[in-house]
Amino acid sequence: MLQLAAWIEKIYYNIQMKSLSYIRFLNMTNAIDYIKSVDYLDSIEESLLNYIALSQIEGHGFLVMDLIALEHLGSRATLHKRIKSLVVKGYIQLITDTQDERKKNVALTSKANRYFEKLSKLIDNAAKGN
């Protein structure tokens, strides 16, 4: 009988832990949604921003024409509009190439870096259970 009670207690504990993990996950997604709602980024803008961030972390640069070539995200016109929107919102800046003025390098701004830092902290806190 004692073993059965210990077994039931163990199952109950595991269910509680799984529930707590899910609750932490929900809290994290709600916090992320709130951060994203402050300065709304649509899914294309968010994807472009992620591409740029990953590229910079890997030490590669992106040109505007590289981003516009990401056809799986949308048409060239749509991508061009979203790039302009990210500039207006302050997430990226376009830097004219000194060798060829037709080329525009894309770089994250400090606002974009703060955005990614906030998201990272939320994920870290959720993983720790805070």
Side-chain angles (χ1 to χ4, degrees):
M1 188 69 170
L2 197 54
Q3 286 180 326
L4 178 61
W7 182 75
I8 290 172
E9 188 175 314
K10 186 176 181 179
I11 289 175
Y12 179 73
Y13 176 78
N14 286 338
I15 290 171
Q16 278 185 313
M17 288 296 104
K18 288 180 184 175
S19 295
L20 290 176
S21 295
Y22 184 68
I23 297 301
R24 284 194 306 267
F25 171 76
L26 288 177
N27 284 333
M28 178 187 65
T29 57
N30 286 339
I32 289 172
D33 287 344
Y34 174 75
I35 285 175
K36 290 180 179 180
S37 72
V38 171
D39 199 359
Y40 178 75
L41 297 176
D42 69 22
S43 62
I44 296 173
E45 291 170 333
E46 189 174 359
S47 293
L48 288 170
L49 199 59
N50 290 339
Y51 272 101
I52 297 163
L54 290 172
S55 174
Q56 283 190 352
I57 288 170
E58 294 171 355
H60 306 293
F62 256 119
L63 297 172
V64 170
M65 65 184 194
D66 296 328
L67 292 174
I68 291 174
L70 298 172
E71 294 175 352
H72 64 282
L73 294 178
S75 70
R76 294 172 63 86
T78 297
L79 294 173
H80 195 265
K81 285 179 190 175
R82 294 317 192 284
I83 292 166
K84 281 185 173 181
S85 175
L86 287 171
V87 169
V88 169
K89 291 178 180 179
Y91 286 99
I92 63 172
Q93 59 183 347
L94 305 181
I95 303 165
T96 303
D97 188 294
T98 56
Q99 304 294 334
D100 186 347
E101 291 186 9
R102 296 172 296 173
K103 294 182 180 179
K104 304 282 188 231
N105 293 294
V106 181
L108 295 176
T109 63
S110 58
K111 182 176 181 175
N113 291 327
R114 286 190 307 274
Y115 172 79
F116 286 118
E117 286 171 11
K118 285 179 188 176
L119 292 177
S120 295
K121 285 179 186 177
L122 287 171
I123 292 168
D124 290 345
N125 288 339
K128 292 175 188 174
N130 295 339

